[in-house]
């Protein structure tokens, strides 16, 4: 049946109302997007192609894309971007922890819980006073922060969940630049509260560390390095066991094992001990040979190819990051006597002013921001959707709190976790621009904190190579697209597992 | 609901019309021309002065009103550039010719300059290369400046020292600095007074030192960066020694820990006023801020310490005439105004750098010894004479495109200063490679540059042959303003071919 006159009129009115929005979308999003896609395959250069320069535009095919993988800036800034994303698993864990805490009913425990919080506050105040007496609180900022913590505890004790939920969400609705400036002050090498807290601890450690012989330090460092092997081997064992039991599919097995293998290979450039290069490589080869052996032997229970994909991304990804942390820790430990033996002893990091510490500094800040973010809200929403019957059944079976978490909460939140992880990866790939502008003097020191998003801006508007900058943008888009497809393909399925 | 939406639509349309009709160009009876500059309060006074000047010069309508209305369009360099290539730049734009001319957005003003007295003879010889490209004039300075060391006599006297000599070598500078730092920090637990501010972000200081030894960042034809050489290495090592060994300057971490940061002039100005720095690296423009202060500082200035060949870096804020201007016949009078007495006197009076036309500065008591500011000593005369006698523009190559001409030298300095990630030679080699890679990329991407580049490369080959043979080099072969002046002063130049 055709539309009547009134229907047509309503349609026209409706279209008229959404027209401004559509026009805006076309003018500022859709059309520029199409043009930028076109530009990525051309030699569009502001010096040749602008309103006054009409040189013929050359179609260069995939030249821009090929060139970017040979440009050291692109590779360095891609590396920086990926490095800053190492904090994502910790951010996800932190926001889950925050959501679990905020999901507790603070009033349920009655006055006992309130008194506990008041007691904690008193302990904190006493601890701060003692530290101040012993010189740690040289800056008023340290005392102020500790006092604010105390106040928060008291307010939480009285106001309950809603106070904490509001406070934890603060990082999300505070303007980015304000937060960055605040963190810049926190990271101030000599006057910042972070170093005021760290330096006294280092002063205590210094005599002990300087008394260590280089031999002992190297031995301890290599023990820490060996822990990477333990973690990786356990990861391989867990993965193969789950594959055999039909808990994970073959594709997820491979992805998980690739992630677990990365730290073993990176010791070649990150570890100064030659034995580790060969031993770690041998373990990697052995691990993969075993894997192929197990695959050939077959398994007891079949599973679809991509079952357990989130397990591969989340847990194996976490093990990979832990592996990296052990390698980094081993390096620090090996250098400890030399660092402690200097005239100044062990010094707190110079954070943003230091080539090696600038990236970790941003990573820590990102971790803080991730805890009290929309991720936490998503987890809170997810927690409220878990059927209480499952917990009741677990209680009847005598489950411990950890068992309740591991067997009920964690699997039930799997879809939320997967979504958060994917969105965090997308955010991580696109991030870093504001931080580079505000905190680190345009991505310094010496490009240590320049990310891809800043590189695109710089290539487009500083050098005028718009074609090339578009190619970088679309490469970034491709990365984001792959991650999104991954979510689309596996996100829902993981919920069912 | 429909009525509400329609009401909102009507209000928005009315607001759009109101905004359009109240635009200066629609309100004014005379053509409105736009000057894209910074938002310095002095710009508004200069615009008012321009309107009065138009009347005085007889550039008026039959009603006796100024024949045009000049409006300030404040914005940064990046936005100016994007607007210019898009056809909506201001009629006059404060810009670098080296950045804007390759885009084809500047009007050739050579003939106008000769006719209306804002040509080569009406400005400083040193700044001329910055206003031209391929021998044609594209800009005229709004003001210019030279950064040298400025000190507070009272701070020095407080520590029982007199002002250092106006001209000193590196050894004398270090000796003086060490003594100043020793006296200023005597009995203190931690050093809080420095001789100079951080130089890790001021590449012009090592660049001037290298020039002092007769070496510039680019070769004679500006076709190749030549930074990895003994003069630059020595300069880098010297400035690092000033920071790490002699503690004449604070490190990046110490700067990050200084309590003041924001505001006009940044940390250096506030620390200088507070007596924490003996010297600061400033030009005359800094007096705009210092004159606002209630503290009267007794200034003196000295040349940067360097080798035998005295040089300073002179830089201009210059205006280009926009090629897309609708009123080139009108805006040319603005350039005429910039070279005329009223404007130059206002620059002298307001301490907004040096006046663009030296004939209004030479032996002018209002500049040399302003009666209202006896505390400023001879800093004005020094700056004018040093700009005139020792001034050379910074190293700028027409074949390099980047966010700034000192991007990679800054990067090298950053890398060298930061935990000694690289030694001086390595850092400089990387910077040299990056400059040269950028030159190659720019030339390859722009056929308009290729012919000129090949010609200059060929010239360079011949220059190298002449140098090797110890022959005088024809002046017309040399494109690098530093070498042109240096070879001239050293008698190595063949003035006519």
């Amino acid at each position: 049946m055709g539309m009547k006159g009134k229907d047509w009129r309503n349609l026209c009115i409706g279209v008229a109302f959404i027209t401004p929005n559509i026009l805006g979308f076309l003018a500022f999003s859709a059309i520029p997007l199409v043009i930028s896609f076109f530009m990525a395959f051309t030699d569009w250069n502001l010096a040749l192609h602008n309103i006054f320069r009409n040189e013929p535009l050359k179609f260069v095919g995939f030249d821009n894309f090929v060139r970017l993988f040979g440009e050291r800036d692109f590779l360095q800034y891609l590396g920086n971007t990926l490095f800053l994303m190492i904090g994502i698993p910790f951010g996800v864990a932190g926001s889950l922890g925050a959501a679990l805490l905020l999901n507790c009913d603070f009033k349920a425990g009655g006055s006992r819980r309130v008194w506990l919080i008041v007691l904690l506050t008193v302990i904190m105040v006493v601890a701060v006073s003692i530290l101040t007496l012993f010189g740690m609180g040289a800056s008023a900022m340290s005392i102020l922060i500790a006092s604010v913590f105390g106040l928060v505890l008291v307010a939480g004790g009285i106001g309950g969940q809603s106070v904490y939920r509001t406070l934890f969400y603060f990082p999300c609705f505070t303007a980015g630049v304000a937060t960055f400036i605040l963190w810049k002050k926190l990271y101030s090498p000599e006057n910042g509260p972070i170093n005021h807290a760290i330096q006294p601890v280092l002063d205590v450690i210094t005599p002990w560390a300087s008394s260590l012989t280089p031999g002992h330090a190297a031995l301890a460092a290599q023990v820490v390095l060996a822990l990477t092997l333990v973690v990786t081997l356990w990861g391989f064992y867990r993965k193969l066991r789950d594959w055999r039991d039909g808990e994970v599919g073959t594709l997820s097995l491979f992805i998980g094992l690739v992630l677990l293998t990365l730290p073993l290979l990176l010791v070649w450039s990150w570890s100064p001990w030659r034995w580790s290069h060969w031993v770690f490589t041998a373990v990697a080869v052995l691990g993969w040979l075993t894997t192929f052996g197990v695959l050939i032997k077959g398994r007891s229970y079949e599973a679809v190819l991509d079952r357990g994909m989130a397990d591969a991304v989340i847990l194996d990804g976490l093990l990979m990051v832990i592996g990296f942390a052990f390698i980094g820790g081993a390096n620090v430990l090996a250098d400890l006597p030399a660092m402690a033996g200097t005239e100044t002893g062990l010094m707190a990091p110079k954070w943003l002013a230091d080539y090696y510490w600038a990236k970790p500094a941003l990573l820590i800040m990102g971790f803080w921001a991730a805890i009290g973010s929309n991720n936490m809200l998503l987890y809170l929403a997810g927690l409220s959707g878990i059927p209480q019957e499952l917990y009741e059944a677990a209680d009847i079976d005598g489950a411990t709190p950890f068992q309740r978490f591991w067997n009920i909460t964690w699997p039930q939140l799997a879809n939320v976790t997967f979504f958060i992880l994917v969105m965090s990866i997308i955010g991580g790939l696109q991030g870093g621009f504001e931080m580079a502008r505000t905190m680190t003097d345009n991505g310094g020191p010496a490009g240590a904190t320049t990310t891809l998003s800043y590189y695109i801006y710089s290539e487009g508007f500083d050098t005028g190579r718009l074609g090339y900058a578009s190619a970088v943008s679309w490469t970034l888009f491709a990365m984001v697209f792959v991650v999104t497809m991954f979510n689309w393909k596996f996100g829902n399925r993981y919920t069912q597992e | 609901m429909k009525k509400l939406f329609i009401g909102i639509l009507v209000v928005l349309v009315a607001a759009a019309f109101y905004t359009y009709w109240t635009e200066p160009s629609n309100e004014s009876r005379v053509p409105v021309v736009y000057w894209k500059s910074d938002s310095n309060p002095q710009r508004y006074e200069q615009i008012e002065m321009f309107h009065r000047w138009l009347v005085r010069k007889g550039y008026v309508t039959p009603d006796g009103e100024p024949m045009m209305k000049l409006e300030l369009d404040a914005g940064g360099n990046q936005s100016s550039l994007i607007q210019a290539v898009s056809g909506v730049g201001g009629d006059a734009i404060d810009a670098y010719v080296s950045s804007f001319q390759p885009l084809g957005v500047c009007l050739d003003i050579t003939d106008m300059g000769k006719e209306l007295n804002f040509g080569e003879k009406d400005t400083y010889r040193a700044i001329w290369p910055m206003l031209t490209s391929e021998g044609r004039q594209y800009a005229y300075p709004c003001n210019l400046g030279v950064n040298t060391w400025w000190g507070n006599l009272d701070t020095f006297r407080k520590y029982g020292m007199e002002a250092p000599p106006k001209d000193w070598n590196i050894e004398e500078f270090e000796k003086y600095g060490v003594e100043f730092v020793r006296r200023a920090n005597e009995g203190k637990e931690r050093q809080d007074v420095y001789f100079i501010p951080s130089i890790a972000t001021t590449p012009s200081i090592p660049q001037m030192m290298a020039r002092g030894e007769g070496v510039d960042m680019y070769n004679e034809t500006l076709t190749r960066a030549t930074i990895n050489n003994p003069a630059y290495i020595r300069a880098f090592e010297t400035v690092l020694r000033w920071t790490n060994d002699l503690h004449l300057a604070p490190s990046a971490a110490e700067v990050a820990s200084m309590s003041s940061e924001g505001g006009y002039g940044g940390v250096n100005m506030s620390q200088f006023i507070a007596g924490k720095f003996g010297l600061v690296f400033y030009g005359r423009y800094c007096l705009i801020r210092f004159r606002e202060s209630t503290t009267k500082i007794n200034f003196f200035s000295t040349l940067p310490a360097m080798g035998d060949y005295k040089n300073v870096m002179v830089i201009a804020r210059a205006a280009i005439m926009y090629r897309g201007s609708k009123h080139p016949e009108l805006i040319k009078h603005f350039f005429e105004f910039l070279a005329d007495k009223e404007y130059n006197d206002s620059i002298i009076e307001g301490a907004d750098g040096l006046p663009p036309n030296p004939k209004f500065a030479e032996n002018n008591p209002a500049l040399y010894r302003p009666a209202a500011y006896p505390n400023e000593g001879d800093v004005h005369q020094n700056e004018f004479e040093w700009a005139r006698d020792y001034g050379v523009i910074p190293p700028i190559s027409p074949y390099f495109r980047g966010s700034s001409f000192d991007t990679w030298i800054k990067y090298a300095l950053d890398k060298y200063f930061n935990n000694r990630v690289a030694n001086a030679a390595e850092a400089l080699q990387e910077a040299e490679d990056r400059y040269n890679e950028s030159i190659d990329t720019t030339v390859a991407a722009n056929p308009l540059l290729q012919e000129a580049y090949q010609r200059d490369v060929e010239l360079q080959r011949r220059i190298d042959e002449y140098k090797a043979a110890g022959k005088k080099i024809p002046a017309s072969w040399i494109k690098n303003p530093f070498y042109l002046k240096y070879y001239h002063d050293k008698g190595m130049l063949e003035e006519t071919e």
Side-chain angles (χ1 to χ4, degrees), chain A residues 370-386:
Chain A
I371 289 176
S373 63
N374 287 333
N375 297 350
M376 184 192 73
L377 288 190
L378 287 167
Y379 269 130
L380 277 171
L383 283 169
S384 64
I386 300 175

Side-chain angles (χ1 to χ4, degrees), chain A residues 10 17 47-48 50-53 72-73 184-185 188-191 350 353-355 445-446 457 461-463 465, chain B residues 5 78 82 84-85 102-103 190 253-254 256-257 261 322 324 401 403 411 414 418-419 434 437 441 445-446:
Chain A
N10 281 341
F17 279 128
L48 295 171
N50 63 52
I51 197 134
F52 304 110
R53 285 267 168 86
R72 59 170 124 184
D73 285 345
K184 205 173 164 183
K185 288 287 166 201
S188 174
E190 287 182 9
N191 300 329
K350 290 170 185 165
D354 184 298
Y355 184 80
Y457 167 80
F461 300 117
D462 290 337
T463 67
R465 294 194 291 163
Chain B
F5 280 140
Q78 214 70 268
I82 298 304
V85 292
L103 307 177
R190 215 180 69 185
E254 284 158 343
S257 301
E261 184 174 3
Y322 182 47
R401 280 201 72 77
S403 56
Y411 178 92
D414 217 359
N418 241 284
N419 285 354
R434 283 175 176 274
E437 281 165 19
T441 310
N446 190 346

Side-chain angles (χ1 to χ4, degrees), chain B residues 358-379:
Chain B
K359 81 174 177 194
F360 299 113
E362 191 92 53
N363 296 321
N364 182 350
L367 171 70
Y368 282 14
R369 293 274 175 178
Y373 304 100
N375 59 308
E376 291 170 2
D378 59 359
V379 292

Side-chain angles (χ1 to χ4, degrees), chain A residues 168-192:
Chain A
F168 268 69
Y169 197 56
F170 244 73
C172 199
F173 60 75
T174 308
V177 173
T179 317
F180 297 150
I181 290 171
L182 176 77
W183 272 90
K184 205 173 164 183
K185 288 287 166 201
L186 292 175
Y187 279 134
S188 174
E190 287 182 9
N191 300 329

Side-chain angles (χ1 to χ4, degrees), chain A residues 238-290:
Chain A
R238 192 187 69 87
K239 209 73 207 168
L240 290 172
R241 184 198 61 197
D242 288 354
W243 181 83
R244 200 192 53 212
D245 294 346
E247 293 291 322
V248 298
T250 309
L251 180 64
S252 20
L253 170 75
F254 272 101
I255 290 177
L257 293 187
V258 165
L259 292 176
L260 289 169
T261 311
L262 283 177
L264 299 184
L265 299 181
L266 279 170
V267 289
W268 279 90
S269 57
W270 287 4
S271 160
W273 299 284
R274 285 188 74 81
W275 68 264
S276 66
H277 303 165
W278 299 108
V279 171
F280 277 48
T281 309
V283 168
V285 171
L286 214 65
W288 279 93
L289 286 176
T290 312

Side-chain angles (χ1 to χ4, degrees), chain A residues 18-241:
Chain A
I18 59 169
T19 299
N21 194 15
I22 288 177
L23 288 178
F25 171 73
L26 285 175
F28 299 113
S29 297
I31 295 172
L33 209 70
V34 173
I35 293 174
S36 107
F37 185 74
F38 166 71
M39 283 162 91
F41 296 95
T42 67
D43 68 339
W44 199 315
N45 185 331
L46 279 180
L48 295 171
H49 313 107
N50 63 52
I51 197 134
F52 304 110
R53 285 267 168 86
N54 252 334
E55 294 295 315
L57 199 62
K58 262 201 299 194
F59 181 75
V60 295
F62 285 91
D63 277 9
N64 287 329
F65 293 92
V66 173
R67 194 192 319 154
L68 71 88
F69 286 104
E71 287 228 0
R72 59 170 124 184
D73 285 345
F74 175 78
L75 298 174
Q76 183 190 347
Y77 302 151
L78 175 65
N80 289 347
T81 310
L82 296 178
F83 185 96
L84 292 177
M85 286 164 61
I86 288 177
I88 289 175
F90 296 105
V92 172
S95 53
L96 173 61
L100 287 170
L101 281 172
L102 297 177
N103 203 40
C104 299
D105 187 355
F106 291 92
K107 300 277 184 189
S111 58
R112 208 177 60 179
R113 196 180 289 261
V114 173
W115 280 113
L116 182 67
I117 290 169
V118 171
L119 184 67
L120 281 173
T121 310
V122 172
I123 292 170
M124 179 171 252
V125 170
V126 171
V128 168
S129 308
I130 292 169
L131 288 171
T132 309
L133 280 174
F134 283 90
M136 177 202 142
S139 104
M141 183 67 86
S142 307
I143 299 169
L144 185 72
I145 288 175
S147 310
V148 169
F149 270 120
L151 201 68
V152 167
L153 282 172
V154 174
I158 298 162
Q161 274 180 334
S162 50
V163 171
Y164 282 128
R165 286 185 178 188
T166 309
L167 287 172
F168 268 69
Y169 197 56
F170 244 73
C172 199
F173 60 75
T174 308
V177 173
T179 317
F180 297 150
I181 290 171
L182 176 77
W183 272 90
K184 205 173 164 183
K185 288 287 166 201
L186 292 175
Y187 279 134
S188 174
E190 287 182 9
N191 300 329
I194 292 176
N195 277 6
H196 268 290
I198 295 174
Q199 194 55 55
V201 179
L202 293 177
D203 290 344
V204 172
I205 296 172
T206 298
W208 170 81
S210 58
S211 66
L212 262 180
T213 63
H216 284 135
L219 187 68
Q222 288 171 80
V223 170
V224 172
L225 187 70
L227 289 176
T228 314
L229 279 181
V230 175
V231 169
T232 311
L233 285 172
W234 181 75
F236 264 78
Y237 165 73
R238 192 187 69 87
K239 209 73 207 168
L240 290 172
R241 184 198 61 197

